[in-house]
Amino acid sequence: MSSDFTDYMSSGGGVTLVVTGSFSDDSFLSSGATTVWLTGGLVGDGIAYAYPASVADGVVYTYVASAAGSTLSGASAVNSSSSSPIIANVPGSADKIADLLWQGPGDTLADWQMKAGAISANLGVGSDSGLHFLGSGDFNADGHSDALWRDDSGNVTLWTLNSAQILGKQTLGNVGSDWHNEGVADFDGDGHADVLWRNASGQVALWETNGSSVTSNQSVATPSLDWRIQGLGDFNGDGNSDVLLRSSGGQLVLWTMNGPQVTANQSISNLGLDWHVLGVGDLSGDGKADILLRNDDSQIVLLTMNGNQIVGNQNVGTIDASWHLQGIGDHTGDGHADVLWRNDSGQVALWEMNGNQITSNHQVNYANGATNTTDLSWSVLHHAFDLV
């Protein structure tokens, strides 16, 4: 399980872009860890950033933040023969910070925008009446997570989002009731989220997508029904999400993926049946997914991974059985996935992580210091795997 609702946050300030090449809507420039979207609307610190409809070749664009809003405006032309995008004089970086999508009474939705482990904004999103949440991911490569839903008739609908704003609703297709969603992730490394399905017969299939279109619908494999998918994540750091499975006997296996192709099917370990997979995320900050486990005595252990190899098996701590995992994602922007918990009382707490070390254990409150209280009529939306 990972925190499904993710957004890119910007540190603001003046940014100068040297743009070369040809760009269309929702394209972006990237340099190292810094990514700047030219169209589509990046949201940072609660401010909506406006961009021109098109970006001209060889023009310097200056990104200006102000209390009233932000714009990307053209300046003087520059000479460049390069056909590749260039970023110049970009201070800071754009951090990928996992936000939280909540569902409350009357199917009301709210977005907790997170910053440094606290709630920087609590924004209404709309209502999802008659829909069932499947998961979220960046389907149109604009840097914002979008939400995937399914109705009782099998229609799969994508909400294209700009933070808490619904930009569009598109139907991706219809699936029969014998097909069950197994999560959303980028399996082919093209920056667009894909959708994994499994049939009641055991067959696994992948929808590769490009924005609101399913570009490919292919079978992946048909494992026997005593194998269950436990999580999705990039375990080898190649930019493609992989699939973690576990048998009813406890064996953990990794499918290394390249689109719908299983390029390797390798054993990881055989866990005792008193141990359970909690979720998958990059807690070590090395760009590779790790596995968080919990046993029947509430002991938490982290398996630090390199592909299918366990490079670390370390104790994290213990937590009372009244606390339930809500997601694994980077809520602080430090490059390490954190662990989000919720108590039976409704209290939400965050373990800020650095590998197996809990660097901070605190209730999730507002960034201005106000205490957060969320009653049990509200729940965090995330994809729920059939954990063994």
Side-chain angles (χ1 to χ4, degrees):
M1 181 194 303
S2 62
S3 294
D4 286 297
F5 200 67
T6 306
D7 203 2
Y8 279 89
M9 307 295 284
S10 172
S11 58
V15 177
T16 300
L17 307 179
V18 179
V19 180
T20 64
S22 173
F23 299 95
S24 60
D25 285 354
D26 297 322
S27 60
F28 61 89
L29 302 177
S30 184
S31 175
T34 300
T35 304
V36 180
W37 272 260
L38 298 177
T39 61
L42 178 67
V43 172
D45 299 332
I47 301 174
Y49 297 91
Y51 296 90
S54 62
V55 179
D57 182 27
V59 176
V60 175
Y61 287 86
T62 303
Y63 172 72
V64 182
S66 68
S70 301
T71 60
L72 186 68
S73 57
S76 59
V78 296
N79 295 321
S80 175
S81 60
S82 172
S83 61
S84 302
I86 301 172
I87 292 183
N89 303 323
V90 182
S93 63
D95 297 319
K96 189 175 184 180
I97 299 179
D99 297 333
L100 296 172
L101 187 63
W102 290 79
Q103 182 183 55
D107 295 326
T108 301
L109 299 175
D111 171 24
W112 281 12
Q113 294 186 347
M114 302 293 291
K115 185 176 182 180
I119 307 164
S120 63
N122 185 352
L123 305 175
V125 178
S127 173
D128 64 335
S129 180
L131 298 175
H132 309 286
F133 183 75
L134 298 181
S136 69
D138 186 2
F139 282 82
N140 60 355
D142 67 348
H144 300 271
S145 269
D146 309 303
L148 193 69
W149 309 87
R150 182 181 185 181
D151 66 19
D152 290 334
S153 299
N155 297 308
V156 178
T157 300
L158 176 67
W159 287 10
T160 305
L161 297 169
N162 180 347
S163 187
Q165 180 185 8
I166 302 171
L167 301 180
K169 299 179 181 180
Q170 302 90 18
T171 299
L172 294 187
N174 183 280
V175 292
S177 59
D178 56 339
W179 285 94
H180 310 285
N181 182 252
E182 291 289 357
V184 171
D186 182 7
F187 288 90
D188 53 15
D190 66 351
H192 298 267
D194 308 307
V195 187
L196 196 67
W197 299 94
R198 192 175 191 191
N199 190 273
S201 67
Q203 182 186 6
V204 178
L206 181 67
W207 284 4
E208 293 180 277
T209 76
N210 183 353
S212 60
S213 301
V214 178
T215 59
S216 174
N217 179 3
Q218 298 187 59
S219 178
V220 175
T222 306
S224 62
L225 293 177
D226 62 332
W227 287 94
R228 301 179 192 176
I229 294 174
Q230 304 291 282
L232 310 175
D234 182 5
F235 282 82
N236 60 357
D238 66 351
N240 299 331
S241 188
D242 307 308
V243 182
L244 181 69
L245 301 100
R246 189 183 185 189
S247 73
S248 57
Q251 185 180 4
L252 274 181
V253 161
L254 181 67
W255 285 357
T256 305
M257 304 296 295
N258 183 4
Q261 303 300 315
V262 180
T263 60
N265 180 359
Q266 297 170 296
S267 177
I268 295 175
S269 179
N270 200 313
L271 301 177
L273 296 182
D274 58 337
W275 285 94
H276 314 280
V277 174
L278 274 179
V280 168
D282 182 13
L283 282 79
S284 60
D286 64 353
K288 300 172 185 177
D290 307 308
I291 304 170
L292 199 66
L293 304 173
R294 184 179 190 174
N295 72 4
D296 291 340
D297 294 326
S298 295
Q299 182 184 1
I300 310 296
V301 161
L302 179 66
L303 301 183
T304 306
M305 304 298 297
N306 181 6
N308 73 310
Q309 300 298 313
I310 300 172
V311 297
N313 181 349
Q314 297 169 296
N315 183 58
V316 176
T318 58
I319 191 166
D320 186 84
S322 62
W323 289 91
H324 311 282
L325 186 78
Q326 302 297 295
I328 299 175
D330 185 3
H331 297 288
T332 63
D334 66 352
H336 298 263
D338 308 302
V339 185
L340 189 77
W341 300 96
R342 195 177 192 197
N343 192 272
D344 290 336
S345 67
Q347 182 184 2
V348 181
L350 184 67
W351 284 2
E352 297 183 26
M353 305 297 297
N354 182 358
N356 73 309
Q357 299 298 314
I358 303 171
T359 60
S360 178
N361 177 4
H362 60 86
Q363 180 173 331
V364 177
N365 289 317
Y366 288 92
N368 63 8
T371 301
N372 165 60
T373 55
T374 305
D375 66 51
L376 293 173
S377 64
W378 287 85
S379 58
V380 177
L381 290 178
H382 51 71
H383 181 80
F385 290 97
D386 185 13
L387 300 177
V388 178

